[in-house]
Each structure stands twice: as C-alpha cells, then as structure tokens.
Amino acid sequence: MKRFGILGVLIVTVLRSLGIAADDRNPIEGTRPVIQDRAVLRRLNRTEYENTVRDLLAIEVDLKDLLPLDSSAGGFDNVGEALHVSSFLMERYLEAADKALNVAIANLPQPPLVKKRYLLRDDNLVKTTTENVYRHRDDSVVMFSSSAWNAITLWQFYPPDRGTYRIRISTYGFQSAGKTVTYRVDAGPMLMGTRNHLVNYFDAQPDQSTVAEFLDHFEARDHIRISPYGLANAQTVTKVGADKFDGPGLGVDWIDVEGPLHDTWPPESHRRLFGDMERAKSPNHNQSNRVEVVSKEPLVDADRILRKFARRAFRRPVTDADVRPFLALVDAKLAEKRSFEQAIRVGLAAVLVSPDFLFLREGADKLDDVSIASRLSYFLWSMLPDEELLGIAEQGHLTGNGTNAALRDPEKDQRIRPSVTLREQVDRLLNHPKSQQFATNFVGQWLGLKDIDFTEPSHILYPEFDDMLKVSMVRETELFFVELLKHDLSLINFVASDFTMLNGRLARHYDIPDVDGFAFRRTQLPPNSHRGGVLTMASSLKVTANGTLTSPVTRGVWVLDRILGDPPSPPPENIAALEPDIRGATTIREQLAKHRQVESCASCHVEIDPLGFALENFDVIGGWRDRYRTTGNGEEITIDGRRMPYFHGKWIDPADSLPDGRAFRGIDEFKQLLLSNKDQFTRALTTRLLTYATGAVPTTADQPQVEAIVAAVREKNYGFRTLIYEIVASDLFQRK
C-alpha cells in the first residue's frame, strides 16, 4: 500500500488489530472478524459511511464512489459477516477523509452571495434556436415540447463557488384545459459524459403562476435544466409553429437563484472543528488570500479539538488513552515544523480511519446505552446518533444500562423510566426527516428496488415507459412504507390494502381516475383495481421482470423470499434456463409445463410457479394486462389513433393452486389466501427488520424471541410502528 508517513503506520496498525494483512504487492480481501455472540464486529457500509461523515462534519460531499461496492448477506449490505476489510479499502478511506476535511475546513474568504433573477428569453438556446418550439409572451417563455433536445439549460447560471443554493422557479400551465403541467428539474454540469441528478418533478398550475422553491447543492459551474413532461413532440409543434400551436405548454416566468447560503463564516463545518479559533495567512502557499487556523498552544488546542471530535466520531465518551495516539501524530508533525492546521489535519484524518470510527464496536453480551444508541441511530437513520440521543445514552437514561454512573443524577434517575425514554427516542427518530434513510435503504433492499435500473424495458413492447413513471414507482412504495409507519397501520397492508400513494403519472398507469400532477397523495383504490399492497406495486413488478418479458419463476421466488420468508433452494446445476419467446408462439405456462417434467425441478417448481402465475396479469412495467404483448403475429393495437409497435398475443391464465391444494383464479383471490396466515408475513418481515437493525441474520436459536415479537405485534393489530417498538425492546436488539 502507499506510504503515508505516520498515518500510514496507523493504517497498518488498524489492519493488524482486525486480523487483516496489508500487502503492497497484492491487496487482499480481509478475513472475517472473529464472531462474538450473535452479531460480528460490523463496519459502516458505503451509505452509512457517507451519511456519517456528512453529518459529523456538516458538509455535502459525495464519498461513496471512492469506496468499493459492499457485499450482502441475508439480503442486506449492512450485515457484519459480509463487510470485509482490505488494505485497498483503507487507502480509499484515507482519500475520502482528506476529501471530506478539504470541504469542511474553510481556508478562503467567504464567497460572495449571488442573488439574481434570470429570464429564459435571454437564454441563447431560446434566442438562437432554429426550431420554432418556444413562444414569447411578455416576460415569459412558453415551452411546448417534451423532446429532450428542447429542454432548456440555464447556462446563464454559472456559479463560481460550490455550496447550497436556493432556487425559485415561477411557472404556469398554458392552454392546459384546466390541468396541471408537470416539469422536471435536473442539476449538474450538463456536459456530455458528466453525472447530473434529478432534483424533482414539479407541477405548474393552469393559467396562474406557481412558484416552486427548493434547496440543492451545486458544485462550481453546475447548472439547472428544465424539461416539460407529457407535452407534444417537437415535430408536432414545428408543423404549425409555436405562435399558432394550440396544445398545452409550460410557461416559465423567471428563475431566481440565491447562494451559496452561509449563515456564518467560517461555515458550520469549520466551526464544528475549530470553533472561533484565529486564522492567519497560510505560509508557503501561492494563494495570497488563503488562511489557516493558528494556535499559540498547539498541543493544548489539539487535545481539545481531537477529544471533542473523537467523541462524536466514535459515538461514545472518550478517554485519555483514546486521544493519546492521535495527539502523538499531531506532535510528530509539529516537530517536523508543519503548521498547526497541517498537523491537526493529520490527527483528524487518523480519527476518520480509526476502527472506532469505521466499525460499530458493541462489546459483548448486554449492550450498554451508548452502543444501543448507535445501533438505534444506524437502524432508523443510517448515520450516527445526534447530540440528544448520545447525551441521553451517556447518562444511562436510554435503557438504564449506562456505563457512566458517576455522571448520573440520582434524583433524576428515580423519575426516569428508561423503557419510556427509549420509546420516546424511537418516535423522535422516526418523526425526523432523517428517517427517510430508513424507508429508502430498507425498502430498497427488502423489495429489491435498488435494482430498478438494472433492466431497461423494451421501447418496442413498452413505449409508454419513461423516467417519470420509474421515479413514481419507487416513490409510491417508499411513501406507502412511511404512511404505515407514521400511523402505526397494520403491516398486513403490505400484502393487501385498500389504499396506496399515487400521483397523476402512476394513477394513469394503474387506470385510476381523478388524480392529476406529480404530487403524491393517499388515494383510496377502486374495488376493481386489483391493486393494494407491495405485490401489485409497479416497482416490485418491474424489478421482478426483465426488460422484455415476465417470469413466474422469478416472481415466485421473490414472493417466497421477500414476502413469505421461505426462500427456495438454489436450482440444480446444468439445468437450462427458459428461453424468452417474445414472438408469442408459446406462453410461459406452456414452457414451464415442459420444464417441470424434469424430476429434479418439479419439487421446487410446484411451490414457486403458482405464486408467480398469480402475478402474471401484470406486465414488465407493472401494468395490468389480459393478453401478452408480442413482436410477432397478432392483433394490431391502436391507442389514441396511434398504431402501437407491438401486437396482442395469447390470453393470460393466472389461475393455479398452492401446494396444499387451495386454488385461486387470480391476484385478488391469491392475496386472500396469503391473508389467512398473517403471522407468516409478520414473521418474515420481523426477520428482515432484525437483520437490518442488528447487522446479523437471526438463527434457529433466535426463533423463540422472533415468535415472541410476532405474538406481541399480533395482540396490537399488527401495527407497523408497534413492530419497530418490539424489535428495539427485544434482547435480539439490545444484546450483541
């Protein structure tokens, strides 16, 4: 590995302390940490690491791409036994630490505040385009085309400094027949080969200006782009010209930009490290306006800074012994005549590559309050505990199992009921915006939604698929998860529900009327919709299909594993997979009937296939169908006067029987069969949540405690938040 002086020695020491070799010539994957009790020593995964550094330093910085992908076990990438360590990974951590500190520490004067209004009529694309797709109206510009080439990038906005900017966009729906017009906003460099990101979709109200406001992080020289959604293509508009076109359009009045936003300077990130310490001109630096933190008592200040930083970074109280090695690094750099800031940076970086930062060190047997606080925070926030939670834990008031008895107030301890305090903290964390990480990370892995981009639906078979539909799919599932959690609704809603969270795009996809715009809302489902629960959400249906066709085997395995908690055995070797037939000569049922004639396959497929056939009325992108789509011979299809590039194929037969003989005719009857055993789904979800919460897959020895949780939740109408309470209160959560 590369040599980083004393810090390099520290990294090698870290690796050796974990039983891992560090070889310059051949960086190797580390061995698994030694198992202690149920859960092994667990390091932060990429997402937790980035969130933790951001929260610790109060910065916006992308670090995940510096780190290799994490392995998974039990369906999640935060399980300790799968999170290996190598010398290569330690080098990446050092690079990430340097990058984070460079962002956090302010060495330049405060960047000037930009506060400006931009008009699209002044944009070069609008002024010079040869296509007549924009209409000028007084001080606004109307965009009529949703074609990507006619989206407008605000090149006038050219921020010289990175930071958070407030953007306000005034828009209105033009000639939209009383309906909202939706548009997309992206941010980023907007250059070929660069990575831009979706800010959000917004709704413009018909015939009245509506201001959309948001905060977003911009790197220097980033831009924003506005793209109308669902409007005409460019050819349709240019046939008659924008001035005569009578279709709907997006009117853009103005775009206000304010930033970079800083309440104070140096910024919060700098003050968290150094407070109000004096800064002076940097020695031996070619930037004349560059400053550094200086100290008259370097070791005294270094001890104070490192002690405070290490407490938050290690998520526990720190001792003199904890701080001593980092202070020694600073002292050694000072002896080399390095400046105070250069020396303290080495100490801070060392903290960020320390095993006490990179790993959740939980001790053995019964966890103390500080360890429980970290486990709780990473469970519900995917980041370190905040000051309130850490402070309560340090006082021993979270569960009553604190380690700092000398810090407690005996009179106050008599009044505090730790079980109540723990539940209050669970509620506080769940009610905080940071809990969106729980919905995103858990749902994304439990249901496989993180793989939503793994396949791209065929543009011939599914021309209606677009990015807004994909974004809406995932958001529906996450918002549904949050809705059940927020109101402690029955977790059986995950199997069958009479409502879901919809916006206009997804409602159109589900053929549900009277829902318009991008904004999501809780929507009662019509009795004949066949929707309700995650089984019939477009997100789940898309990730269980490839871009061309559905497979009852894939979906059946998914239902067994993710919903029923009973994954099938892997298929035998040398068994050929089914070849897709997109021309419609044979149905998937006919192909599987031949497949099941193989004796070694039949025993598993009798359990798998019926579950998949129950979902066969849903196509690759989660739309309802009665017949397959094909590219071969079939019945022509015309929609809104436009001939489709695909044909109607054979009729779908979703009927089947479960292994116990119970028959169903389709998805509605199948869901009722699943509801006959509510405990099975509750047990499966409990196991998944325990795996995610503790970083360890429950074993056979843990089943009595899992059953106790299921029983407690059953008594309280299967409430979803109740399930979280029971998990956090269990020995499985509170013990190693």
Side-chain angles (χ1 to χ4, degrees):
M1 64 187 288
K2 296 179 181 177
R3 302 299 179 186
F4 297 103
I6 295 178
L7 191 51
V9 174
L10 176 67
I11 294 175
V12 174
T13 303
V14 169
L15 293 172
R16 288 175 179 168
S17 74
L18 298 171
I20 298 166
D23 190 331
D24 289 318
R25 297 163 297 173
N26 183 26
I28 61 172
E29 284 297 319
T31 57
R32 294 180 181 179
V34 176
I35 296 178
Q36 297 181 14
D37 300 313
R38 195 180 73 86
V40 304
L41 179 65
R42 172 163 66 103
R43 71 165 170 83
L44 306 181
N45 65 21
R46 296 164 77 232
T47 298
E48 293 169 336
Y49 175 83
E50 182 177 81
N51 289 344
T52 299
V53 173
R54 286 180 168 187
D55 204 41
L56 177 65
L57 294 173
I59 56 175
E60 283 291 331
V61 62
D62 294 327
L63 299 175
K64 283 198 297 186
D65 288 345
L66 291 175
L67 308 177
L69 294 175
D70 296 310
S71 300
S72 296
F76 296 97
D77 63 5
N78 65 344
V79 174
E81 65 180 18
L83 293 169
H84 306 299
V85 181
S86 67
S87 56
F88 171 78
L89 178 60
M90 294 306 299
E91 289 186 54
R92 300 285 78 78
Y93 278 137
L94 183 57
E95 290 185 22
D98 286 340
K99 181 177 180 179
L101 290 173
N102 286 339
V103 172
I105 299 173
N107 295 114
L108 296 173
Q110 180 173 356
L113 180 70
V114 174
K115 193 171 184 179
K116 188 173 181 179
R117 173 165 293 181
Y118 297 96
L119 304 177
L120 289 191
R121 68 180 183 184
D122 299 327
D123 189 88
N124 285 335
L125 177 64
V126 176
K127 291 192 297 185
T128 62
T129 182
T130 57
E131 298 177 346
N132 190 8
V133 292
Y134 309 116
R135 182 187 299 183
H136 293 263
R137 296 183 73 233
D138 299 328
D139 288 336
S140 68
V141 171
V142 180
M143 306 170 66
F144 287 109
S145 171
S146 294
S147 300
W149 294 108
N150 300 122
I152 296 179
T153 299
L154 189 65
W155 296 110
Q156 306 167 65
F157 172 52
Y158 194 70
D161 301 291
R162 72 186 309 275
T164 298
Y165 287 76
R166 178 178 291 108
I167 309 294
R168 302 174 71 245
I169 305 176
S170 178
T171 59
Y172 60 92
F174 181 70
Q175 298 177 170
S176 60
K179 295 184 178 180
T180 60
V181 175
T182 300
Y183 62 99
R184 170 187 176 120
V185 177
D186 292 276
M190 301 300 170
L191 299 173
M192 291 292 291
T194 58
R195 181 177 299 179
N196 305 312
H197 69 271
L198 169 68
V199 174
N200 208 344
Y201 286 89
F202 300 94
D203 293 327
Q205 299 303 314
D207 303 317
Q208 60 177 336
S209 293
T210 306
V211 177
E213 180 175 326
F214 59 88
L215 298 176
D216 201 63
H217 176 78
F218 288 80
E219 294 294 330
R221 300 174 182 82
D222 276 359
H223 304 280
I224 60 174
R225 174 178 291 161
I226 298 176
S227 311
Y229 175 80
L231 303 183
N233 59 47
Q235 293 81 359
T236 302
V237 179
T238 55
K239 280 183 181 178
V240 296
D243 290 338
K244 297 180 180 179
F245 186 69
D246 60 0
L250 173 70
V252 183
D253 298 310
W254 42 259
I255 303 172
D256 280 353
V257 175
E258 182 181 5
L261 302 175
H262 294 289
D263 294 332
T264 60
W265 195 263
E268 171 64 18
S269 60
H270 184 98
R271 292 177 181 274
R272 282 196 183 183
L273 295 173
F274 303 121
D276 294 320
M277 289 184 68
E278 182 183 352
R279 299 188 299 162
K281 185 179 181 304
S282 299
N284 304 319
H285 201 281
N286 55 12
Q287 286 182 275
S288 60
N289 59 347
R290 182 181 174 88
V291 295
E292 285 189 4
V293 174
V294 295
S295 171
K296 295 179 180 178
E297 298 180 288
L299 288 180
V300 173
D301 285 331
D303 180 83
R304 173 179 53 79
I305 292 168
L306 290 170
R307 195 174 295 273
K308 178 182 176 183
F309 185 65
R311 171 184 171 271
R312 290 283 288 126
F314 296 168
R315 306 167 286 274
R316 61 172 175 79
V318 294
T319 64
D320 292 342
D322 290 322
V323 177
R324 191 176 299 120
F326 306 110
L327 192 60
L329 289 173
V330 175
D331 192 23
K333 290 300 176 183
L334 291 172
E336 296 174 5
K337 304 302 181 184
R338 301 288 185 92
S339 68
F340 174 75
E341 185 178 302
Q342 291 171 339
I344 194 65
R345 276 176 178 259
V346 174
L348 294 170
V351 170
L352 293 177
V353 296
S354 164
D356 287 285
F357 175 71
L358 298 176
F359 289 80
L360 294 175
R361 301 195 126 180
E362 297 174 328
D365 196 33
K366 181 72 173 176
L367 302 184
D368 61 35
D369 274 16
V370 172
S371 296
I372 290 175
S374 284
R375 186 173 274 195
L376 180 64
S377 183
Y378 281 96
F379 175 29
L380 301 180
W381 283 358
S382 294
M383 65 185 73
L384 77 172
D386 63 2
E387 190 59 44
E388 177 176 335
L389 179 58
L390 182 59
I392 290 173
E394 287 177 335
Q395 295 290 331
H397 292 158
L398 191 59
T399 67
N401 191 32
T403 57
N404 298 307
L407 299 176
R408 300 186 199 174
D409 181 341
E411 293 183 4
K412 184 180 292 185
D413 278 357
Q414 293 175 4
R415 298 193 302 268
I416 289 179
R417 293 162 55 199
S419 61
V420 175
T421 304
L422 180 59
R423 177 169 292 199
E424 288 174 349
Q425 288 302 305
V426 170
D427 282 332
R428 185 178 70 84
L429 267 61
L430 287 175
N431 294 336
H432 196 283
K434 290 179 181 178
S435 65
Q436 178 59 40
Q437 290 285 332
F438 180 33
T440 300
N441 296 330
F442 178 77
V443 173
Q445 296 183 80
W446 169 40
L447 300 178
L449 305 193
K450 64 183 179 62
D451 296 324
I452 195 74
D453 290 318
F454 190 71
T455 61
E456 184 71 16
S458 165
H459 68 281
I460 296 176
L461 289 171
Y462 299 96
E464 70 269 38
F465 181 78
D466 57 39
D467 193 73
M468 183 176 173
L469 177 58
K470 180 186 72 176
V471 170
S472 301
M473 289 176 177
V474 176
R475 198 159 296 183
E476 174 199 18
T477 311
E478 293 177 354
L479 291 174
F480 186 77
F481 180 92
V482 170
E483 184 75 2
L484 299 189
L485 191 57
K486 178 179 179 181
H487 300 291
D488 197 24
L489 301 179
S490 172
L491 54 88
I492 305 306
N493 281 287
F494 284 121
V495 177
S497 175
D498 61 359
F499 76 93
T500 191
M501 310 299 289
L502 291 182
N503 66 356
R505 179 64 186 93
L506 203 54
R508 187 167 78 250
H509 188 56
Y510 290 171
D511 197 24
I512 295 175
D514 304 324
V515 182
D516 188 27
F518 181 76
F520 279 79
R521 68 222 70 172
R522 177 169 169 163
T523 305
Q524 198 72 19
L525 293 168
N528 61 347
S529 72
H530 306 296
R531 304 286 172 174
V534 297
L535 287 169
T536 56
M537 288 183 178
S539 58
S540 302
L541 295 161
K542 181 184 182 302
V543 299
T544 53
N546 62 30
T548 304
L549 78 167
T550 59
S551 166
V553 176
T554 301
R555 284 180 171 171
V557 169
W558 184 88
V559 174
L560 277 172
D561 183 25
R562 311 301 174 97
I563 304 301
L564 301 179
D566 187 22
S569 302
E573 296 182 5
N574 303 319
I575 298 297
L578 295 177
E579 293 294 328
D581 177 15
I582 64 174
R583 298 186 63 82
T586 60
T587 66
I588 190 68
R589 185 180 288 275
E590 292 167 339
Q591 295 176 66
L592 279 173
K594 295 180 180 180
H595 202 66
R596 284 198 296 267
Q597 292 175 5
V598 180
E599 184 178 352
S600 59
C601 297
S603 60
C604 286
H605 278 274
V606 72
E607 295 184 355
I608 296 170
D609 296 355
L611 310 185
F613 278 121
L615 300 171
E616 194 65 359
N617 275 123
F618 298 96
D619 63 25
V620 166
I621 59 174
W624 179 265
R625 64 186 179 185
D626 295 308
R627 300 171 68 177
Y628 292 102
R629 294 183 183 185
T630 78
T631 59
N633 296 324
E635 180 184 330
E636 291 186 358
I637 303 171
T638 302
I639 299 177
D640 296 332
R642 180 187 171 197
R643 179 178 169 181
M644 294 293 100
Y646 55 86
F647 302 92
H648 270 321
K650 295 189 176 185
W651 291 89
I652 292 169
D653 178 13
D656 215 315
S657 298
L658 298 180
D660 60 9
R662 290 180 296 166
F664 58 87
R665 289 173 294 179
I667 183 60
D668 299 321
E669 292 183 3
F670 175 69
K671 286 194 288 188
Q672 292 308 308
L673 295 180
L674 293 182
L675 291 178
S676 66
N677 189 353
K678 297 178 182 179
D679 280 5
Q680 184 173 10
F681 172 72
T682 305
R683 186 179 302 109
L685 181 57
T686 299
T687 301
R688 292 277 178 172
L689 284 164
L690 280 167
T691 301
Y692 181 81
T694 65
V697 181
T699 64
T700 303
D702 300 324
Q703 287 310 303
Q705 295 186 66
V706 172
E707 293 302 325
I709 294 173
V710 172
V713 173
R714 183 196 311 125
E715 291 298 317
K716 298 179 181 177
N717 196 32
Y718 296 97
F720 189 23
R721 185 171 285 220
T722 297
L723 174 57
I724 303 299
Y725 293 151
E726 295 296 331
I727 286 173
V728 172
S730 70
D731 270 358
L732 290 176
F733 186 86
Q734 296 192 17
R735 289 184 181 274
K736 187 71 161 68

